[in-house]
Amino acid sequence: MVAGSLGCNVAAPIVDVPLPLRTEPILVARPQVGAVWRRTVLRAVTVPLVVLSPIVALAPTADHRFNIYWHGALFRDDPLRIVPDTVHSLPGYLKAGNFRPLGRMLEKLVDLAAYVLADVFGIPANVAFRLVEMVGAVLLSLAVLVLAESVLASGPVLRRPPSTVAALLPFAVGAGFVAAGRSSPVVLFGGLYFTSSALVFAVAAAVARKAPDRAVRRRWIVPLLLGGAALASFNEIAYFALPLATVAAAARGRYVLGVPWRRLAQGGSARLLALLWLGFLPVFVAVRVVIARDCAAGACYRGSDVHLSGAVAATLPERMAAWFPPLMWQSAVQGHHHWIAGVVLILALVVLAALAVHAVRDLPRLSPVDARGAASLAVTAAALLVLGAALGALNADVQQIVAAHRWGQGWRDTASTAPAGALLIAAAAHLMSPKRWLLTGLIGVLALGGTVSAAANKRFRDTVMNTPAARLDDRLAQAMADFDPTPAGQARRCELRDEFFAMFASTPFSLRRFDQAFDTAAEQRAGQRFCPTSATSARGRG
């Protein structure tokens, strides 16, 4: 009995003591990591929504006035029809100077999503279109975060807290969503270009995560070749994916993982990139040769044409800085004074300040970033910044924008340069091992920048909506949302059509597109033309 008692007294500490030591890190650390990640993702999702919310009811412009209804009605009941429809149109677009079959499919999907959203919830299509665009902006914000953590993490990304870079990124990226002119991706083709840019960051993140000592399995060879060809068939923004992935993989492998250059060149990420490039280059080179031949006479679409001249050298530096939010604010407000005011500013400030406090409180829990990791991230961001600026500098329209000293005006390159600039700011802040107070101050400054961007977007929307064309587009969207098939409704729609034809009488192309788009949508929705009593409408359909 005594021996048994002694045995119990001795064995109990041996059995009981180690258990808390082994289980405590698992029970406490894992929920903390998960909670920090959830808060980081929440900020990356919320900040773009706050900044872009002032333009949620912005009237559609340019091709959006027609494409939402045309593409939506065409593919509402047969979405798979998008593929043959796009393939059938390829020869015409190729002769016009661009080759974007997968990008055009995505564009039609964006329009279809807006059309269906408007149809299901009974809201105007322009509001639905902006909501879909905001989803693209959220995807882009998340993709930038994923790339940053993929480059910085030497091990599994989700098994450690996000880096202190992640505390800055949502605010830096969100501040760049500025409606800097009518050609800005925030205004024009935002869903397409934000999603395309998100694809670029996602591809770079996936390649950067490939361990140098892991081989590429044979079954992945064909999919990787096809993936490279798909990137060459997407659009100009997607062209950046492989150059960016190459820089990101090299920077992470050499400076974060410490792998020698020779071993890195023979490793898994290099082989992965080689297969993607082998799929990309044949398609890219063949298409550019065909386009250069067909566009030699200068008859191609200026928006995608390459214009080599002395203006490229002058345009490139400006486009490398055009993403900077204070420059874009001036383009958005168009010379208005006292625009930093109003309810939108106050609401944005309240929400973003709360998120900023959230981020500051998380700082002690986040993974630190050393100088080598920050340098790797800065090099990656700078590479994309140069690529995006080069795209803009090669375009004749952008060259004219810069020549007119309209610095900060948005173009499709802004969809890549703005998030790249945000990433560069966050990385540069970590090059000198910053103190917590410095990161806290920078979070505050970036959150304030997002607040001002929201106010600038509100000013831009007010300016646009004060124009007769925008007010008419808004009424057309409302007429389609509340489609009235009765004779009274037909009469009101015919009045809108007559007003449009009078306003755009000098642009026959817009008149044809009007009947094509609105008649197609009206027939899909109610089995009648937009204006059944119009003989002109009947000829437009024919």
Side-chain angles (χ1 to χ4, degrees):
M1 292 297 292
V2 174
S5 300
L6 291 175
C8 293
N9 292 336
V10 173
I14 296 175
V15 174
D16 295 342
V17 171
L19 290 177
L21 296 177
R22 295 181 60 187
T23 58
E24 186 177 0
I26 297 175
L27 294 175
V28 175
R30 283 187 179 176
Q32 183 180 8
V33 170
V36 174
W37 268 109
R38 286 191 292 273
R39 290 194 293 270
T40 301
V41 170
L42 175 66
R43 291 191 290 269
V45 170
T46 307
V47 174
L49 298 180
V50 173
V51 176
L52 291 174
S53 59
I55 64 164
V56 70
L58 180 66
T61 61
D63 289 346
H64 293 325
R65 295 175 298 169
F66 315 115
N67 286 353
I68 299 173
Y69 306 104
W70 184 38
H71 291 154
L74 280 178
F75 310 121
R76 173 67 169 81
D77 300 320
D78 188 9
L80 294 179
R81 186 183 165 193
I82 290 176
V83 176
D85 182 84
T86 305
V87 172
H88 179 73
S89 65
L90 277 181
Y93 281 115
L94 193 57
K95 289 183 179 179
N98 60 61
F99 180 73
R100 311 166 182 166
L102 296 181
R104 293 194 183 281
M105 291 180 192
L106 174 60
E107 178 188 344
K108 292 171 183 177
L109 278 173
V110 169
D111 293 336
L112 175 60
Y115 185 84
V116 171
L117 187 64
D119 189 19
V120 170
F121 293 99
I123 59 177
N126 58 322
V127 174
F129 181 78
R130 299 300 172 190
L131 291 174
V132 174
E133 175 187 309
M134 291 164 73
V135 172
V138 168
L139 290 176
L140 177 54
S141 178
L142 291 172
V144 177
L145 176 64
V146 169
L147 175 60
E149 296 305 307
S150 297
V151 170
L152 293 172
S154 58
V157 173
L158 296 179
R159 292 185 183 179
R160 80 198 222 303
S163 68
T164 50
V165 166
L168 304 176
L169 270 181
F171 303 101
V173 173
F177 290 123
V178 183
R182 293 175 181 265
S183 296
S184 166
V186 170
V187 179
L188 193 63
F189 296 108
L192 171 63
Y193 288 122
F194 289 154
T195 307
S196 300
S197 189
L199 173 66
V200 170
F201 281 94
V203 170
V207 173
R209 292 302 302 171
K210 181 69 175 179
D213 57 348
R214 295 188 63 182
V216 178
R217 297 182 180 181
R218 290 186 178 181
R219 66 171 179 265
W220 285 104
I221 293 178
V222 173
L224 288 171
L225 291 171
L226 294 176
L231 291 172
S233 306
F234 208 89
N235 56 27
E236 293 86 349
I237 297 293
Y239 291 167
F240 303 154
L242 293 188
L244 181 66
T246 303
V247 174
R252 176 177 183 266
R254 183 66 187 93
Y255 298 112
V256 176
L257 302 181
V259 179
W261 287 116
R262 178 175 296 182
R263 181 183 161 200
L264 196 60
Q266 299 172 351
S269 58
R271 295 178 182 180
L272 184 69
L273 279 166
L275 291 170
L276 288 170
W277 278 108
L278 282 174
F280 178 88
L281 286 175
V283 178
F284 175 80
V285 172
V287 167
R288 297 317 305 181
V289 168
V290 171
I291 289 176
R293 182 194 62 195
D294 292 343
C295 297
C300 284
Y301 169 56
R302 285 173 58 92
S304 59
D305 195 12
V306 174
H307 185 68
L308 294 173
S309 67
V312 173
T315 306
L316 182 62
E318 190 280 335
R319 295 314 296 177
M320 289 184 65
W323 60 270
F324 194 51
L327 291 176
M328 291 195 290
W329 296 337
Q330 297 305 312
S331 294
V333 301
Q334 298 179 351
H336 288 277
H337 301 289
H338 310 296
W339 54 274
I340 306 181
V343 175
V344 167
L345 181 76
I346 296 173
L347 292 177
L349 180 60
V350 169
V351 176
L352 293 183
L355 293 174
V357 171
H358 221 233
V360 170
R361 288 178 177 174
D362 275 341
L363 281 176
R365 304 179 182 91
L366 301 181
S367 301
V369 177
D370 59 20
R372 294 172 70 87
S376 301
L377 201 59
V379 169
T380 302
L384 182 57
L385 190 59
V386 172
L387 289 168
L391 173 67
L394 290 171
N395 183 263
D397 289 340
V398 178
Q399 292 170 9
Q400 291 182 1
I401 290 173
V402 174
H405 303 293
R406 298 201 301 271
W407 300 327
Q409 182 166 329
W411 194 65
R412 70 186 63 160
D413 61 339
T414 314
S416 59
T417 57
L423 192 59
L424 184 60
I425 289 175
H430 288 77
L431 288 176
M432 301 300 292
S433 300
K435 303 295 183 182
R436 182 180 174 183
W437 65 265
L438 179 60
L439 293 179
T440 298
L442 189 53
I443 289 173
V445 170
L446 294 173
L448 186 60
T451 302
V452 178
S453 293
N457 288 339
K458 174 62 165 59
R459 177 69 266 177
F460 179 86
R461 180 195 176 276
D462 291 344
T463 301
V464 171
M465 295 308 295
N466 281 333
T467 63
R471 290 196 294 269
L472 176 58
D473 290 332
D474 215 21
R475 287 154 53 207
L476 286 166
Q478 192 63 52
M480 288 300 302
D482 301 327
F483 197 90
D484 182 1
T486 67
Q490 294 172 5
R492 286 192 295 270
R493 291 194 301 277
C494 287
E495 290 177 0
L496 291 173
R497 180 183 179 277
D498 292 341
E499 187 176 344
F500 185 93
F501 271 57
M503 186 177 297
F504 297 97
S506 60
T507 55
F509 176 75
S510 295
L511 305 185
R512 290 195 301 270
R513 290 299 312 276
F514 183 97
D515 281 337
Q516 178 191 54
F518 283 92
D519 280 354
T520 302
E523 289 182 351
Q524 186 279 325
R525 185 161 296 184
Q528 60 180 248
R529 298 172 189 165
F530 184 79
C531 177
T533 61
S534 172
T536 307
S537 180
R539 289 197 299 272
R541 293 183 69 253

